[in-house]
Amino acid sequence: MTGLVLVNANVLTMDPDLSARPRASALVITGGRITALDEVPAGSEHVVDLGGATVLPGFHDAHNHMIGFGMSLAEVELSSPPVGSLDELYAAVAHRAGTTAPGEWVIGAGYDQNKLGGHPHRDALDRAAPGRRVWLRHTSGHMCVVNTPVLAALGIDGTAAEVPGGRVAVDSGGRPTGLLEERAQLLVGSLVYPYPLAELTGAIARAAEVYLAEGVTSCTEAGIGGGWVAHSPAELAAYAAAREQGRLGVRVELMAAREVLHPLGAHPDDNLVAGLDLGITSGFGDDWLRLGAVKIFADGSLVGRTAALHDPYDGSDGTGYLQADAAELTGAIIAAHRSGWQVATHAIGDLAIDLALDAYEQALAEYPRRDPRHRIEHFAVVRPRQVARAAALGVIAVPQGRFATELGDGMLAAVGPDRHAWLYRQRSLLDAGMVLPGSSDRPVVAGAPLLGIADMVNRRTVSGAPFNPDEAISAEAALRAWTWGSAYASRAEHVKGSIAPGKLADLVVLSEDPTAVSPDRIAGLEVLATIVDGRFAYDRAGLG
Ligand SMILES: [Zn+2]
């Protein structure tokens, strides 16, 4: 079988087994798997001299939105920078409207009211894009702003509608401003969903090209098929099509949105109370495309101040809210656990985190299961006692390093100084014995793993303020998170996440060793090549 041999390499294996070697200088790949370290067989054909470059297991983004990111590449870019004010935002919308036919949509993404001084307003959007339908998504994905033609199509241009688990914002006169929070976004969804699968497959392919250039070889899509994160009820088919067409690029694990689980009518002894048709559940699929956890949204966004806190946001009496009735959320978590699913609960505020921990504890007590590896996505505002509880329950917390830089100022302001030390913990999770994965939540923030890794080490906001710096970790620990930690969170550490004989040959080649450069240089290191399944999938340096 054709093989590939990498020599003169600085291999960081990330192997957590203390008896294994942490470093190597050569590795042998056969049939898509790593077959040997340091022992190069005589007469090897395809030998690549890496000239001392660093080799790591390919990066695995444990929480991203691949279709959402791929689609955002075609939308109006509203991040700050480059968009620095509401006026600049309206100018960007006007510019796109100039090339958009009347009645068509102008779609933008990535705005943050903390950086613009406020949310965009429907009236100003009407002036910027006369006759067009405008839909601008907040960077968190948890809210959006639409203009009058969209509100009119929804029948809420004059008075707001009540939406459970969401909010249609109104001004002092009761007139909707265009801002739709959380589940109120489903209203817009009713006008645009479902997207055709071909469009979604194209978005996957666009995203995959970016991922490979950044060293990503695996990612976990955090919710498909239902709820406001979904693009089509048949979303899985778009991934299958991308794979069939050779455009998937990276290995993908798909979380199913809780909305798509339903009673199965199986025998009562089977405990299958909530599942997908045929009894398909977490783990179904193969090394390229696999079903992961069920995604359950307990609350919303911290910078958007919708996440559910025990105590009010700084300078207000608002405490955010849950995305559904507490008993309904708890019931959904327990039913999914009982039916054999890995559960990934989105919980940002300390109140939502308590709900998730309580539900996991109750689920495990009533329906004991070995090593279910339930997850809490984001795990953002975390009281000290909640770290100990999560560790005791075997919960995997999935925080995002890059949030510190891009969203950190808004988060510090949202919780106030007394709670700064609770924000996006990392070190205390490791100290408690928890496994830490690496993730971006792309397109919420920039998703390049080296940016996320640098931020896990540096912990500064874009304005230069320290972001809970006691929770900083070493470059070594951040690399382990983005490789082995993410594989563990996907129950896939037996096939990937470290460089060892028998593992999938998914690798990233970097210009320098992130553990050997000063922390401020990590983000600027170059990805020279990305190898997936033993083949060069990205080869900037012409190595392959
Ligand atoms: Zn997400």
Side-chain angles (χ1 to χ4, degrees), residues 63-65 140 142 222 229 295 297 346 377-378 441-442 444:
H63 179 130
N64 90 126
H65 301 273
S140 67
H142 285 263
V229 286
K295 173 78 177 290
F297 279 96
H346 167 117
E377 309 304 301
H378 311 302
D441 205 11
R442 175 150 53 186
V444 172

Side-chain angles (χ1 to χ4, degrees), residues 14 35 39 103 118-119 124 189 205 277 284 406 462 538:
M14 294 292 129
T35 47
E39 291 147 23
H119 291 279
D277 289 341
F284 186 78
E406 294 193 32
V462 70
Y538 172 77

Side-chain angles (χ1 to χ4, degrees), residues 491-544:
R491 312 186 69 92
E493 76 278 10
H494 59 295
V495 287
K496 58 189 179 183
S498 64
I499 296 175
K503 293 262 176 122
L504 295 168
D506 296 353
L507 306 165
V508 56
V509 183
L510 299 177
S511 55
E512 287 179 82
D513 181 345
T515 67
V517 302
S518 69
D520 59 319
R521 286 194 52 223
I522 296 172
L525 300 186
E526 279 178 69
V527 174
L528 301 179
T530 305
I531 295 171
V532 186
D533 209 36
R535 295 189 184 87
F536 281 88
Y538 172 77
D539 188 12
R540 182 197 157 148
L543 297 168

Side-chain angles (χ1 to χ4, degrees), residues 387-483:
V387 176
R389 268 194 89 194
L393 289 166
V395 164
I396 301 166
V398 189
Q400 288 68 40
R402 182 72 187 162
F403 281 11
T405 298
E406 294 193 32
L407 306 174
D409 288 314
M411 290 177 177
L412 293 171
V415 298
D418 292 350
R419 288 175 287 190
H420 283 180
W422 297 0
L423 286 174
Y424 280 91
R425 296 169 179 276
Q426 306 177 132
R427 175 175 292 281
S428 54
L429 308 185
L430 294 175
D431 289 348
M434 294 169 69
V435 174
L436 182 66
S439 70
S440 69
D441 205 11
R442 175 150 53 186
V444 172
V445 295
L450 284 171
L451 294 179
I453 288 160
D455 287 355
M456 291 171 91
V457 176
N458 291 312
R459 305 275 290 188
R460 281 203 178 267
T461 72
V462 70
S463 74
F467 183 81
N468 191 9
D470 289 348
E471 293 285 345
I473 56 174
S474 67
E476 165 94 21
L479 291 170
R480 188 176 301 282
W482 274 86
T483 53

